[in-house]
Amino acid sequence: MRDTYHEELDALGERLVEMTRLARHAIARATTALLDADLNAAQEVISGDEELNRLDEEIEASAFDLMARQQPVASDLRVIITALHMSGDLERMGDHAVHIAKIARRRHPDSAIPAELRSTVLEMGHQAELLVIKAGEVVAQRDADTALELDKDDDRMDRLRRRLLTRILDPGWNHGVEATMDVTLAGRFYERFGDHAVHVADNLVYMVTGQRPKDMDTES
């Protein structure tokens, strides 16, 4: 019975890692859709979100079932509770990729991103992928030390978003209201994608150590 119980706990982590893989694919394809006006890529992201939602629901069902049957305490309870939080963050990361894909679909056959900002948006897409890859690695390895690095890694995403905002607020910006809205929203969705990756890492730290990163910073 206990072997089965721990296998079920391990399965929560495996599902979370799979969700990070799906979120990475989603944000990569969403970036392609946005920059290349690729309607097929956009639709792939939108329809593929169902799989992330399904895994989120599976984790939730498994977590509540484990709590009801096993009445876990201490570290096992932390694993279950943090798995629920991480699953929710990963599901929302998929939603943000969908929002980006829908911008691309709405503007098709044109690209939603003016030529002068394409390199910045491409960097944001790459940074989003790096963040979710790292989140997946720390979950798979339960690596709290590396998880603590993600907050600083996310600073680059914040800087890139500020670069976008600086450009569209420049008096020389002449791409109109629609492009302004598209760029602003896309930047926000990439930023939120990164924020949720950080939340996943923060919850992993709590799972492993029993402490929140902000409390560890205070103590140090």
Side-chain angles (χ1 to χ4, degrees):
M1 286 290 291
R2 300 304 293 178
D3 287 345
T4 301
Y5 168 53
H6 286 289
E7 287 173 4
E8 290 173 336
L9 284 177
D10 290 343
L12 291 176
E14 291 167 5
R15 288 191 181 102
L16 288 169
V17 172
E18 176 64 8
M19 289 184 78
T20 66
R21 187 190 68 79
L22 292 171
R24 178 198 177 185
H25 181 74
I27 199 65
R29 295 297 285 160
T31 302
T32 296
L34 190 65
L35 293 176
D36 298 344
D38 188 329
L39 192 59
N40 289 332
Q43 195 54 49
E44 180 184 336
V45 175
I46 294 164
S47 60
D49 192 51
E50 292 180 6
E51 182 66 9
L52 266 170
N53 294 339
R54 184 187 66 79
L55 283 169
D56 180 44
E57 291 168 1
E58 282 187 6
I59 288 172
E60 182 177 310
S62 296
F64 286 129
D65 180 64
L66 282 167
M67 286 190 285
R69 288 189 295 106
Q70 303 290 344
Q71 298 181 346
V73 295
S75 61
D76 287 349
L77 183 59
R78 279 206 313 273
V79 169
I80 294 170
I81 297 300
T82 52
L84 283 169
H85 288 303
M86 287 189 278
S87 176
D89 278 309
L90 288 161
E91 188 274 333
R92 285 187 284 278
M93 290 165 76
D95 290 343
H96 292 311
V98 168
H99 294 325
I100 292 168
K102 286 182 176 179
I103 293 172
R105 187 175 67 177
R106 187 171 63 248
R107 291 292 300 276
H108 185 268
D110 298 321
S111 172
I113 306 300
E116 66 199 80
L117 292 178
R118 288 175 61 84
S119 63
T120 301
V121 171
L122 182 61
E123 282 187 68
M124 295 183 85
H126 288 164
Q127 188 65 18
E129 285 189 67
L130 290 173
L131 284 164
V132 73
I133 288 169
K134 199 165 187 177
E137 290 171 349
V138 300
V139 171
Q141 300 166 16
R142 296 197 177 186
D143 184 347
D145 291 334
T146 302
L148 290 167
E149 299 173 3
L150 261 80
D151 191 38
K152 289 184 178 179
D153 293 339
D154 189 47
D155 288 345
R156 177 165 177 75
M157 183 71 84
D158 297 335
R159 289 194 297 271
L160 289 167
R161 181 169 182 250
R162 286 195 295 272
R163 187 191 301 174
L164 288 183
L165 294 178
T166 298
R167 184 64 193 94
I168 65 176
L169 290 172
D170 187 277
W173 175 260
N174 60 358
H175 295 286
V177 174
E178 190 172 29
T180 301
M181 291 297 296
D182 287 339
V183 170
T184 302
L185 287 171
R188 177 59 173 161
F189 295 141
Y190 279 114
E191 181 192 43
R192 291 300 296 148
F193 187 98
D195 289 343
H196 284 298
V198 174
H199 294 167
V200 169
D202 287 350
N203 275 293
L204 185 282
V205 172
Y206 179 67
M207 176 194 287
V208 173
T209 68
Q211 292 181 290
R212 295 291 181 187
K214 61 180 181 180
D215 298 327
M216 297 168 73
D217 290 342
T218 301
E219 291 178 4
S220 61

